[in-house]
């Protein structure tokens, strides 16, 4: 601690170790490793690529005890901050800290992986630093089981997505990932190693779920499992009218279990031949292109794609699958002839974005800046959003996917820290920009800000998902009537819960 304190003060806000790695490691009695200098480069940036800041050191903990020691040391050292880094997929620098300690949670990935049967229900007890893609493949290959709810991209850590929510096309049925976890181990801002659940330390449990890392670092989670299907039929259908698209999407997510598809998402695309945001982005089968001649001549600048999936087993007769899928598609009002489908294994389907990542890395665009904007928009305001944002502001595309699909509020636990719109049905809207393909970083950030400011000005019932604000007033507006509860919860578990505009939510600890 004395070493850390001296280092921070001597370098006037730009800490650089002057006593060597071994001194730092011994000062907090780590079983893991401490890396400094050039070895911290990976921790000085994140997927967003919008910020770059150099930490004092990158900590590779051996386990929860190391994480606890690091946080306790930081809490006793003036101006020292801590950030947990999973796979660095944050957008606005949440996994970084200037001159502080970044904890590499991936080093703990193998610490926990255990199948549990509790009163007939199955769970996987897994490390917070484990990647979801590895949890998926290991659960399916070993047990024929899988978690119930996912994110689209699975190269994310368990602790990272549970600190936000974890949303994808299964959330309409099972809720987000935070609705499918029953126990957590958390290292609080005081450095306490605490196990919590709905009945054991419930304030910490629900506060940490969707708590943006402000209550501590999730080092272990117990996640619900169910039997994994063998196969998935993945289907895309196209709409020219927004009201028909939303009607069908809302119809599907409102149906009872067994009466709808197993996955429902959607996206907006440009009515042109742009390879990224236009017609070529729709077909799932590369052999069959997009027949734009079928599109009614409405003159619309954007079109809409509803994306659904049906789970089945290898032993199911093909005609049985065909009949079930045809029955689910029959009531939908998509443009006849504009349907694309493909059959994949369940694991291949869930890892579909991984293939896109590999292609993007090969093309040199994966490491481009990603000024993404993610919002939850109430059903009552989604038509206005479409008219102004999709049909005007981003009608020429953004250089990346523009997702939109409905979610059910009743599938979310209102005891967690996630802020949601008020209506039962609300939409996830995600503008996933890749700067190398579209406007500049500055233009993209400015447009994101313009969209958010328009939502506020028009009084839309909306919330930022993966929020990042710069002032206390913005955070208070975001949390609304949950603000007091959030702050009081935070203060209970972190001795440094000091509000400070301009430094995310709290002044010293930044554990998201």
């Amino acid at each position: 601690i004395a070493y850390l304190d001296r280092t921070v003060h001597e370098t006037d806000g730009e800490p650089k170790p002057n006593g060597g790695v071994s001194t730092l490691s011994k000062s907090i009695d780590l079983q893991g490793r401490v890396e400094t200098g050039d070895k911290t480069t990976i921790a000085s940036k994140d997927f967003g690529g919008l910020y770059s800041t150099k930490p004092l050191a990158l900590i590779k903990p051996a386990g929860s005890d190391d994480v606890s020691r690091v946080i306790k040391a930081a809490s006793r050292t003036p101006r020292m901050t801590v950030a947990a880094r999973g796979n660095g997929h944050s957008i606005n620098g949440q996994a970084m800290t200037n001159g502080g300690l970044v904890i590499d949670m991936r080093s703990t990935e193998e610490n926990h992986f255990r199948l549990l049967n509790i009163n007939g229900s199955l769970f996987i007890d897994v490390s917070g630093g484990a990647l979801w893609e590895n949890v998926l493949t290991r659960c399916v290959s070993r047990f024929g089981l899988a978690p119930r709810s996912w994110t689209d991209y699975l190269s994310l850590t368990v602790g990272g997505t549970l600190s936000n929510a974890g949303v994808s096309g299964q959330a309409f049925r099972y809720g987000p990932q935070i609705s499918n976890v029953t126990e957590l181990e958390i290292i609080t801002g005081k450095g306490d190693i605490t196990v919590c659940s709905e009945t054991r330390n419930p304030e910490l449990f629900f506060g940490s779920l969707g708590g943006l890392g402000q209550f501590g670092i999730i080092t272990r989670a117990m996640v619900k499992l169910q039997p994994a299907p063998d196969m998935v039929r993945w289907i895309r259908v196209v709409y020219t009218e927004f009201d028909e698209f939303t009607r069908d999407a809302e119809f599907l997510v409102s149906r009872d279990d067994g009466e709808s598809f197993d996955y429902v998402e959607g996206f907006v695309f440009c009515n042109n031949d742009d390879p990224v945001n236009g017609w070529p982005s729709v077909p799932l089968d590369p052999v069959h292109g997009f027949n734009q001649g079928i599109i009614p001549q409405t003159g619309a600048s954007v079109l809409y794609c509803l994306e659904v999936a049906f789970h089945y087993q290898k032993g199911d007769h093909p005609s049985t699958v065909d009949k079930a899928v045809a029955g689910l598609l029959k009531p939908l009002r998509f443009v006849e002839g504009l349907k694309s489908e493909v059959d994949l294994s369940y694991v291949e389907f869930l890892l579909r974005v991984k293939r896109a990542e590999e292609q993007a890395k090969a093309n040199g665009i994966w490491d481009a800046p990603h000024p993404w904007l993610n919002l939850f928009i109430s059903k009552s305001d989604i038509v206005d959003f479409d008219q102004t944002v999709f049909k005007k502001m981003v009608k020429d595309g953004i250089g990346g996917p523009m997702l939109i699909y409905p979610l059910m509020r009743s599938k979310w636990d209102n005891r967690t820290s996630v802020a949601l719109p008020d209506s039962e049905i609300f939409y996830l809207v995600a503008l996933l920009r890749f700067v190398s393909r579209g406007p500049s970083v500055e233009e993209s950030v400015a447009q994101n800000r313009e969209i958010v400011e328009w939502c506020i000005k028009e009084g839309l019932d909306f919330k930022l998902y993966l929020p990042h604000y710069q002032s206390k007033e913005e955070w208070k507006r975001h949390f609304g009537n949950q603000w007091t509860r959030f702050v009081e919860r935070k203060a209970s578990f972190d001795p440094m819960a000091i509000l400070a505009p301009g430094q995310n939510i709290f002044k010293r600890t930044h554990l998201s």
Side-chain angles (χ1 to χ4, degrees):
I1 295 171
Y3 168 77
L4 292 174
D5 192 34
R6 183 177 69 253
T7 300
V8 172
H9 280 87
E10 288 179 354
T11 53
D12 191 28
E14 296 292 336
K16 295 180 181 179
N18 57 7
V21 173
S22 61
T23 306
L24 178 57
S25 182
K26 291 177 182 178
S27 71
I28 47 182
D29 191 27
L30 289 182
Q31 301 303 305
R33 305 198 315 273
V34 178
E35 296 185 346
T36 58
D38 292 341
K39 292 183 178 180
T40 67
T41 300
I42 190 174
S44 66
K45 57 184 179 180
D46 65 1
F47 180 73
L50 306 179
Y51 304 92
S52 179
T53 184
K54 189 171 180 58
L56 169 66
L58 176 64
I59 311 294
K60 291 183 174 290
S64 300
D65 288 340
D66 275 359
V67 177
S68 172
R69 293 185 185 102
V70 169
I71 292 177
K72 286 179 178 179
S75 70
R76 299 168 187 167
T77 307
R79 296 162 57 187
M80 180 61 66
T81 55
V82 174
R85 187 183 195 277
N87 212 24
H89 210 263
S90 57
I91 303 301
N92 291 290
Q94 292 96 329
M96 297 186 288
T97 177
N98 183 30
L101 305 175
V102 174
I103 302 177
D104 181 3
M105 297 304 296
R106 291 296 313 284
S107 68
T108 68
E109 179 169 7
E110 298 298 326
N111 288 11
H112 303 280
F113 189 86
R114 184 167 56 125
L115 179 67
L116 301 174
N117 187 326
I118 302 176
N119 298 323
S121 297
L122 296 171
F123 305 86
I124 193 69
D125 191 50
V126 64
S127 171
L131 294 184
W132 281 108
E133 62 183 34
N134 295 334
V135 174
L136 166 68
T137 55
R138 293 173 74 176
C139 283
V140 172
S141 63
R142 292 188 186 184
F143 314 120
L145 302 169
R148 307 194 304 175
S149 191
W150 297 99
T151 54
D152 284 323
Y153 179 61
L154 298 186
S155 290
L156 306 171
T157 59
V158 170
T161 65
L162 295 181
S163 294
N164 288 284
V167 178
S168 186
Q170 305 84 13
F172 77 92
R173 175 166 296 162
Y174 299 113
Q177 290 182 316
I178 58 172
S179 294
N180 291 278
V181 59
T182 59
E183 182 178 284
L184 300 172
E185 179 187 82
I186 295 170
I187 316 300
T188 71
K190 298 176 182 178
D192 297 332
I193 303 175
T194 308
V195 176
C196 55
S197 66
E198 184 174 1
T199 57
R200 183 180 180 185
N201 300 311
E203 280 294 289
L204 178 59
F205 179 71
F206 289 113
S208 298
L209 293 173
L212 308 175
Q214 294 298 313
F215 295 84
I217 298 176
I218 296 173
T219 50
R220 183 178 61 79
M222 190 183 298
V223 180
K224 296 178 182 178
L225 297 177
Q226 65 180 8
D230 294 327
M231 302 294 294
V232 171
R233 180 161 296 178
W234 183 16
I235 305 163
R236 287 177 176 172
V237 292
V238 172
Y239 295 77
T240 59
E241 304 302 322
F242 188 66
D243 60 344
E244 294 183 346
F245 166 79
T246 55
R247 170 205 170 273
D248 284 356
E250 291 171 15
F251 168 75
L252 290 175
V253 303
S254 302
R255 304 280 286 172
D256 292 335
D257 190 7
E259 297 181 3
S260 184
F261 287 99
D262 299 288
Y263 160 98
V264 177
E265 285 197 13
F267 60 92
V268 179
F269 65 101
C270 300
N271 192 3
N272 59 37
D273 61 358
D274 179 84
V276 176
N277 282 127
W279 307 320
S281 66
V282 176
L284 292 169
D285 181 356
V287 176
H288 301 94
F290 186 92
N291 186 358
Q292 60 266 28
I294 300 177
I295 302 172
Q297 299 301 308
T298 60
S301 58
V302 296
L303 302 171
Y304 311 92
C305 180
L306 183 61
E307 187 173 38
V308 296
F310 179 78
H311 295 169
Y312 64 97
Q313 302 300 131
K314 287 181 179 178
D316 293 339
H317 196 277
S319 63
T320 303
V321 177
D322 293 343
K323 183 178 179 180
V325 170
L328 294 173
L329 289 174
K330 186 176 180 179
L332 308 186
R333 301 177 183 177
F334 57 90
V335 178
E336 289 295 331
L338 290 181
K339 182 180 74 169
S340 180
E341 63 182 8
V342 66
D343 290 274
L344 300 171
S345 75
Y346 179 65
V347 172
E348 285 178 321
F349 173 71
L350 288 177
L351 294 180
R352 63 198 181 278
V353 181
K354 186 72 172 180
R355 297 193 300 274
E357 175 192 2
E358 291 167 353
Q359 185 177 22
K361 285 182 175 178
N363 294 335
I365 62 174
W366 186 256
D367 293 327
H370 304 91
W372 288 4
L373 178 63
N374 298 269
L375 307 104
F376 292 142
I377 309 285
S378 173
K379 171 184 174 179
S380 61
D381 294 317
I382 199 63
V383 172
D384 289 341
F385 189 91
D386 169 64
Q387 290 290 333
T388 298
V389 178
F390 287 135
K391 286 188 169 71
K392 295 178 181 178
M393 291 186 182
V394 297
K395 63 182 178 63
D396 296 321
I398 58 171
M402 298 185 287
L403 305 184
I404 175 172
Y405 56 91
L407 299 166
M408 306 291 289
R409 200 179 200 280
S410 56
K411 300 294 184 178
W412 297 61
D413 195 316
N414 61 15
R415 292 173 292 181
T416 70
S417 290
V418 178
L420 298 173
D422 292 330
S423 63
E424 166 60 7
I425 294 179
F426 62 94
Y427 281 78
L428 171 77
V429 174
L431 303 182
L432 308 181
R433 304 172 186 266
F434 284 73
V435 166
S436 64
R437 291 169 162 172
S440 67
V441 173
E442 293 75 18
E443 291 170 328
S444 298
V445 171
Q447 189 174 65
N448 287 347
R449 187 180 303 113
E450 181 185 5
I451 292 169
V452 173
E453 290 174 352
W454 174 82
C455 290
I456 295 171
K457 177 183 175 183
E458 296 299 317
L460 268 61
D461 180 15
F462 86 102
K463 300 293 182 183
L464 283 188
Y465 177 50
L466 315 178
H468 180 77
Y469 288 114
Q470 295 296 316
S471 71
K472 175 181 176 180
E473 289 69 29
E474 290 173 316
W475 282 110
K476 288 184 70 173
R477 183 179 64 240
H478 172 77
F479 283 110
N481 57 16
Q482 295 186 66
W483 171 251
T484 299
R485 182 179 68 174
F486 188 92
V487 173
E488 289 177 348
R489 276 177 168 175
K490 165 72 174 175
S492 298
F493 303 108
D494 188 343
M496 298 169 288
I498 303 171
L499 295 172
Q503 298 184 46
N504 205 330
I505 305 175
F506 296 102
K507 185 174 181 181
R508 288 190 58 199
T509 52
H510 180 44
L511 306 176
S512 59

